[in-house]
Amino acid sequence: MTAAERLARLRLIRTPHVGPVSWHQLMMRFGSGEAALEALPDLVLRGGAGKARIAPAEIAQRELDRVAELGARHIFSDEADYSPLLREVEGAPPVIVVRGDTAMLRRPCVAIVGARNASAAACRFARQLAVDLAARDITVVSGLARGVDTAAHIGALGGSTAAVIASGIDIAFPPENAALQEKIASDQLLIAEQPPGAEPLARHFPSRNRIIAGLAQGTVVIEAAPRSGSLITARRAGDYGREVMAVPGSPLDPRAQGCNLLIREGATLIQNVDDVVEAVGPIDTRMVREAAQTFVVASAAPDAGEGERRGVTELLGPTPVAIDELVRQSGQPSTMVQLVLLELELAGRIERHAGAKVSLV
């Protein structure tokens, strides 16, 4: 990949209203970041907005330079070092920033997540489970949060562990984990989706959780409240067709309610490392695509006309609706519906939701 193409791809994902889904659609439609950037103003205009606010080249170049200064690098979704499991999930990040050894993502990966205010027993169990998984050459993935996440990373330091953070690669959060984060970046693997300098805002954590779930063949939850981020990670793992596992706890402990709920809903009950290995099992390599060297234009699909655009837009409202339902009710080809939605998203008129649903902003 040329330096100009890397810059164009980064500008594209840093442009307002270009999300992971629309980024991949633009790349498939135009074949390169440079061609997509050139076409973007016209697409935004057709979507009903004014001038496109494309990320300036200077800002994107500054990010590339800053990442290099930090000893990190950008990996795009079609590059060989990108996780083959993460590449398969809906809304996979077009680019991630990494420090460390990406080879560990080629090994079997298991995520361990849980409560930030975890009990001493839960932290001890998480740490020992991570030790046992690492001893079997399994990479432990977690989010470097307080409590269970921290215990899991510490337990796996003797083997391999990957930490996914909600901030920029140069921001330590929580502050007390600064030394651990640096050790993981130096000896293991640190992953961020946000650009350097980005603070860990609340909206970044669900995005981080989807990466944790996407990297792993299965997710183990150890203590979690019913509406916690750990359960979001577990439900994402289930949506991706990955194994969801939970450690049972006392009904008297509110921190165990989320895990007990998962087990009641069908999650695998976990008591030791053997249970995890049995639940995850080997993954069929035929299910994982190898990285493509370039994006190939799928087809020369015709542009949407006013009739097609109006037919799709009139079916949209503030309530999220499945894209498949829009295709069925509009009577238009799926490619045409996707193109109209792409134009609307680039214009800032729709929002994408989990489960391939969209709604008007």
Side-chain angles (χ1 to χ4, degrees):
M1 193 188 306
T2 66
E5 175 62 14
R6 297 187 75 83
L7 180 65
R9 290 186 179 196
L10 188 59
R11 290 180 66 193
L12 192 61
I13 191 57
R14 300 302 185 225
T15 293
H17 306 308
V18 177
V21 174
S22 55
W23 188 92
H24 283 99
Q25 289 179 346
L26 286 166
M27 292 297 295
M28 290 302 299
R29 183 169 176 81
F30 298 102
S32 71
E34 293 175 282
L37 280 182
E38 187 177 343
L40 202 58
D42 189 43
L43 290 171
V44 170
L45 192 62
R46 280 190 247 158
K51 186 178 179 181
R53 294 180 292 127
I54 299 174
E58 315 83 71
I59 293 180
Q61 186 61 56
R62 200 177 306 149
E63 178 181 335
L64 289 169
D65 295 341
R66 175 59 177 156
V67 166
E69 288 173 7
L70 293 167
R73 59 196 174 101
H74 291 86
I75 301 177
F76 289 92
S77 60
D78 61 335
E79 294 188 296
D81 285 348
Y82 196 91
S83 163
L85 281 178
L86 182 59
R87 186 182 296 120
E88 296 300 309
V89 308
E90 177 193 353
V95 62
I96 54 176
V97 181
V98 302
R99 277 185 66 193
D101 183 12
T102 56
M104 61 182 59
L105 297 180
R106 293 273 170 181
R107 304 171 189 164
C109 295
V110 170
I112 298 178
V113 297
R116 287 177 170 81
N117 62 334
S119 65
C123 290
R124 179 181 177 183
F125 183 88
R127 186 167 56 251
Q128 187 58 52
L129 181 62
V131 169
D132 296 339
L133 288 169
R136 301 198 186 196
D137 204 27
I138 294 174
T139 298
V140 174
V141 181
S142 197
L144 205 60
R146 297 182 180 96
V148 166
D149 290 23
T150 296
H153 286 305
I154 290 174
L157 284 176
S160 59
T161 184
V164 186
I165 57 176
S167 60
I169 201 84
D170 55 342
I171 303 294
F173 184 83
E176 62 265 29
N177 274 356
L180 177 60
Q181 180 168 317
E182 181 57 33
K183 182 170 181 59
I184 290 173
S186 300
D187 303 337
Q188 305 285 332
L189 181 63
L190 184 67
I191 302 172
E193 184 179 13
Q194 305 304 321
E199 295 293 335
L201 304 179
R203 66 174 182 270
H204 295 160
F205 285 91
S207 297
R208 178 206 63 172
N209 294 344
R210 91 186 192 287
I211 297 176
I212 294 172
L215 289 171
Q217 293 170 227
T219 295
V220 181
V221 185
I222 305 172
E223 287 192 349
R227 294 190 176 184
S228 64
S230 299
L231 256 63
I232 293 175
T233 307
R235 300 199 190 287
R236 281 298 184 99
D239 291 341
Y240 300 154
R242 313 292 169 78
E243 193 67 35
V244 178
M245 299 161 278
V247 178
S250 168
L252 300 178
D253 188 346
R255 292 170 295 193
Q257 289 179 1
C259 290
N260 293 344
L261 176 63
L262 286 174
I263 293 170
R264 190 176 70 182
E265 292 176 347
T268 301
L269 188 152
I270 295 300
Q271 299 182 92
N272 52 50
V273 68
D274 291 328
D275 293 339
V276 176
V277 173
E278 180 183 355
V280 173
I283 189 164
D284 191 336
T285 55
R286 293 172 299 179
M287 297 172 61
V288 179
R289 293 173 295 169
E290 287 301 316
Q293 294 305 307
T294 57
F295 282 93
V296 179
V297 179
S299 63
D303 291 332
E306 279 306 314
E308 291 88 356
R309 195 172 292 111
R310 186 169 54 253
V312 174
T313 307
E314 288 176 349
L315 294 172
L316 293 167
T319 303
V321 60
I323 295 175
D324 286 347
E325 185 65 16
L326 294 176
V327 173
R328 189 183 69 81
Q329 292 199 32
S330 68
Q332 298 182 34
S334 176
T335 53
M336 185 62 69
V337 173
Q338 292 283 8
L339 176 58
V340 172
L341 293 178
L342 174 62
E343 293 173 353
L344 293 173
E345 182 179 13
L346 295 175
R349 296 178 61 192
I350 67 166
E351 180 179 359
R352 293 187 186 268
H353 305 271
K357 294 183 178 180
V358 295
S359 66
L360 283 178
V361 172

